[in-house]
Amino acid sequence: MKQNWKPGTMIYPLPAVLVGCGNSPDNWNLITIGWVGTICTNPAMCYISVRPERHSYPLIVKNKEFTINLTTEEMAHSTDWCGVKSGAEFNKFRETGLTPVKGETVSAPVVEQSPLAIECKVVEIKELGSHNMIIAEVVNIQADDRFIDPQTGEFRLQDAKLIAYSHGHYFKLGEEIGKFGFSVKKK
């Protein structure tokens, strides 16, 4: 039997990402975001949702660009720290030891330790309530070559030990249980 609860945001797990923002090293910042996802394949588009009162929000709105940096088990402490401390009070790169690198096509920083950094340009901002949804086009992806198979060129993101966020907790991602189309593959 199921219980009825009041409407809420219970779509879990989600990727725990670090969003890089700002347009120069003197204002670069990171914010931990759980409300993030894919919107479209062609053109490649995604979204993040940010509370307008967060320090990073005006940086993203002003500069119209940001990066989404996937996080790993090794980055879990820094990922959480960047979500509970404000960039108005701390230099998050210096405090966490994460390394900022200017994006290839955007001025916002990517995190060197991230296995995958997605560079984004803002297309639209939707004011929704507690959070505003920032819709963006993906303009570049930086993939860490440690996870690229040198013989096949396949990107093995599953080897990066990504983390996910679920209802106030961080989790390691588990072992593979199937591959797209495995349910209909002829044996």
Side-chain angles (χ1 to χ4, degrees):
M1 181 174 276
K2 295 188 187 230
Q3 295 181 18
N4 289 318
W5 287 5
K6 70 175 185 165
T9 52
M10 298 292 292
I11 303 170
Y12 291 112
L14 299 160
V17 302
L18 287 170
V19 171
C21 57
N23 62 359
S24 66
D26 65 320
N27 70 4
W28 280 347
N29 192 44
L30 292 171
I31 181 173
T32 303
I33 298 286
W35 307 143
V36 57
T38 300
I39 296 175
C40 186
T41 303
N42 189 10
M45 295 182 75
C46 60
Y47 79 93
I48 59 173
S49 290
V50 183
R51 290 181 183 270
E53 61 270 14
R54 296 295 298 264
H55 175 73
S56 296
Y57 183 80
L59 291 170
I60 295 168
V61 171
K62 177 184 176 198
N63 298 313
K64 303 273 191 256
E65 58 186 32
F66 59 91
T67 63
I68 298 173
N69 301 272
L70 300 187
T71 58
T72 65
E73 291 175 24
E74 288 180 355
M75 298 170 66
H77 185 271
S78 297
T79 301
D80 182 64
W81 195 92
C82 288
V84 296
K85 297 293 185 177
S86 173
E89 299 172 21
F90 296 95
N91 178 317
K92 293 182 182 182
F93 284 104
R94 185 171 42 246
E95 295 290 332
T96 61
L98 295 173
T99 308
V101 178
K102 183 187 171 298
E104 289 291 321
T105 61
V106 298
S107 297
V110 301
V111 177
E112 179 67 28
Q113 291 85 345
S114 174
L116 192 77
I118 303 165
E119 298 181 27
C120 303
K121 292 205 180 217
V122 175
V123 173
E124 180 181 354
I125 298 173
K126 297 186 80 57
E127 296 181 10
L128 298 173
S130 64
H131 291 69
N132 289 349
M133 177 187 275
I134 302 170
I135 299 169
E137 183 173 358
V138 175
V139 294
N140 188 47
I141 294 178
Q142 292 189 38
D144 189 326
D145 58 12
R146 291 180 300 158
F147 304 106
I148 299 173
D149 185 305
Q151 295 172 342
T152 66
E154 177 186 10
F155 186 60
R156 308 232 356 118
L157 191 56
Q158 62 272 28
D159 294 343
K161 298 183 180 178
L162 297 177
I163 60 173
Y165 178 82
S166 183
H167 204 59
H169 302 269
Y170 298 96
F171 293 90
K172 300 176 185 183
L173 293 181
E175 65 184 74
E176 180 180 334
I177 59 169
K179 180 178 168 182
F180 180 77
F182 83 101
S183 65
V184 295
K185 185 177 180 183
K186 294 182 181 181
K187 299 193 187 238

